[in-house]
Amino acid sequence: MKIAILGHGVVGRGVDRIVTERVEGVEVSRILELPDRLTDPRMTSNFQDIVDDPEISLVVECMGGIEPAHTFIMDALSAGKSVVTSNKAVVAEHFGEFVSQANFSHAGLYIEATCGGGIPWIASILKARRIDDISSISGIMNGTTNYIVDAMVREGADFDVVLAEAQRLGYAERDPSADIDGIDVRNKTIIASSVAFDTTCTGSIPVTGIRTLTKADLDLFESRGLSVKLLGRAVQGDGRYAAAVEPVAVPLRSLEANVPSNFNLCTLVGTTVGELKFYGQGAGSLPTGNAIVQDILDFSEGRVPHYDIDTPKQYDPTLLTSDYVIRTSSYVEDSEPYAEDFEFVGGDRAFLLRGITAEKAHEAFVNVLDQDPSSFMAAIARED
């Protein structure tokens, strides 16, 4: 079986290496690269060379970004070629379009590597869905932010110091915005929710990151038996769903609180199976490459994932409510009930907003940030 790889960066090279060294019967016959990077006889800078090659039945997209990845994926699917992709941004934005085209062309769309790196997260959701309705998903889905929080706790270090170390180690990009502002987790939450809830989830979900997290915040929550983790969360019921990405204060004894370094932990709750958790490396060349090659092997063995998104579900933010703590030097308007003196943090006050939606909490936090850009907010996880 001959395949093509679009992009030969960190992930593309990882896929090429795993296929060449460990997979029999699969040949990487074409690699799409920029004109000034054609260092291998398999490489071409013309995508049409791949689309027009009748021997290539599978295209592996490892480019990242929205365009030209979106166009290339659609062109490949339209030509009847199946697609494996690790590109969470483009799948989150165009999931419904890709699924419709794959179904029309009788091609496969394989997206395991978009969520959770080497963790078989999408495959596990699909397997659970064969029997159960999934009522909720959640998880630590970004290794960079988990590394930062874990190091701040273990080393007693400030955010900026740990971020710089994460960048030095290659865990964080030079521009870490997608990680620390929650964009990466948003994309993964949208994709996982769409698969779990049999719908096309909207990208307009509330997203709050950890950019303003301080050691004093962590100390405050630890004094209350809590630790902060950046989580993607989504729930559904009665034809409705809600989702959010935000820091969440979880019990110190919970599995989430004890996920170390750059590891991930993803959770689903099904009707009969109950709660399932999946732990492992969530990023990196070889873990992500492994997930892509698993999809390649599924394709070669005739296993095609099916996504049932024909029944639209209403986005209803009232399904996802929590108590929220906002630490700030500014005034929190009492549009929602709150306890004025949750605790003092240095010169700031921490306010408790009770029983509000993630959407309302995010709106309140945005208003607070306008007055005090150093403010921080976290939801408080409910204890079962």
Side-chain angles (χ1 to χ4, degrees):
M1 182 180 81
K2 293 186 177 182
I3 69 172
I5 297 177
L6 311 185
H8 208 241
V10 173
V11 175
R13 288 195 302 271
V15 172
D16 193 13
R17 173 181 165 187
I18 294 173
V19 169
T20 301
E21 295 179 0
R22 305 190 67 85
V23 179
E24 295 183 1
V26 178
E27 175 191 349
V28 179
S29 63
R30 289 279 192 171
I31 299 171
L32 185 71
E33 256 297 357
L34 295 172
D36 60 343
R37 298 181 183 177
L38 304 182
T39 59
D40 186 296
R42 299 171 296 172
M43 290 181 174
T44 178
S45 60
N46 185 1
F47 179 66
Q48 202 62 38
D49 291 343
I50 293 170
V51 173
D52 292 340
D53 189 336
E55 294 188 330
I56 294 174
S57 54
L58 183 69
V59 173
V60 180
E61 187 272 311
C62 306
M63 301 173 64
I66 303 299
E67 289 293 354
H70 164 252
T71 298
F72 290 166
I73 290 173
M74 286 298 292
D75 287 350
L77 292 171
S78 297
K81 299 181 187 297
S82 293
V83 171
V84 173
T85 180
S86 60
N87 187 338
K88 63 192 77 73
V90 76
V91 174
E93 185 163 328
H94 295 286
F95 181 68
E97 182 183 7
F98 290 158
V99 170
S100 296
Q101 185 59 61
N103 291 340
F104 181 79
S105 303
H106 303 290
L109 175 67
Y110 298 80
I111 59 173
E112 184 62 63
T114 62
C115 301
I119 301 171
W121 178 222
I122 297 299
S124 298
I125 292 173
L126 288 170
K127 188 171 184 179
R129 283 291 297 112
R130 293 191 298 184
I131 297 174
D132 283 355
D133 288 332
I134 296 176
S135 59
S136 69
I137 62 165
S138 63
I140 298 167
M141 303 182 196
N142 181 272
T144 299
T145 51
N146 197 71
Y147 171 85
I148 290 171
V149 174
D150 182 58
M152 288 176 70
V153 171
R154 286 186 294 100
E155 301 169 12
D158 291 330
F159 182 92
D160 291 343
V161 173
V162 175
L163 173 59
E165 178 65 9
Q167 290 170 319
R168 187 187 70 79
L169 294 172
Y171 295 155
E173 301 290 341
R174 179 171 297 181
D175 179 1
S177 301
D179 293 323
I180 66 176
D181 291 332
I183 305 305
D184 176 75
V185 179
R186 181 201 66 185
N187 291 333
K188 294 170 180 175
T189 301
I190 290 168
I191 295 167
S193 300
S194 296
V195 176
F197 301 161
D198 291 341
T199 193
T200 303
C201 291
T202 176
S204 301
I205 65 173
V207 178
T208 305
I210 64 164
R211 182 181 290 270
T212 57
L213 176 67
T214 67
K215 183 64 172 60
D217 294 324
L218 292 171
D219 291 342
L220 167 62
F221 285 108
E222 185 175 5
S223 71
R224 302 292 185 99
L226 301 167
S227 180
V228 174
K229 296 288 185 176
L230 182 65
L231 299 184
R233 302 191 293 169
V235 297
Q236 73 157 338
D238 299 324
R240 301 169 294 145
Y241 77 95
V245 175
E246 55 199 4
V248 179
V250 297
L252 288 171
R253 65 178 180 274
S254 67
L255 290 176
E256 283 76 8
N258 292 281
V259 173
S261 189
N262 63 330
F263 282 78
N264 284 192
L265 180 68
C266 301
T267 302
L268 68 82
V269 178
T271 310
T272 64
V273 76
E275 184 178 77
L276 292 178
K277 292 183 180 290
F278 305 87
Y279 171 83
Q281 281 286 353
S285 170
L286 293 182
T288 303
N290 182 284
I292 289 174
V293 175
Q294 292 285 358
D295 276 347
I296 293 171
L297 292 174
D298 279 350
F299 172 78
S300 70
E301 294 166 4
R303 290 194 288 269
V304 181
H306 176 68
Y307 314 103
D308 185 5
I309 60 170
D310 292 335
T311 305
K313 294 185 177 178
Q314 179 185 359
Y315 180 75
D316 181 358
T318 64
L319 293 179
L320 188 58
T321 63
S322 303
D323 294 344
Y324 284 83
V325 173
I326 296 181
R327 185 267 303 154
T328 183
S329 63
S330 68
Y331 178 68
V332 178
E333 293 187 11
D334 56 354
S335 57
E336 300 288 347
Y338 63 87
E340 291 192 3
D341 295 316
F342 181 74
E343 195 157 320
F344 286 88
V345 185
D348 293 350
R349 289 175 68 183
F351 297 88
L352 179 65
L353 290 79
R354 293 190 179 277
I356 63 172
T357 67
E359 194 167 87
K360 287 288 187 183
H362 180 73
E363 291 173 1
F365 186 56
V366 169
N367 291 332
V368 167
L369 285 174
D370 286 340
Q371 304 299 319
D372 176 10
S374 68
S375 302
F376 177 75
M377 182 180 75
I380 300 179
R382 289 191 176 91
E383 294 194 51
D384 296 329

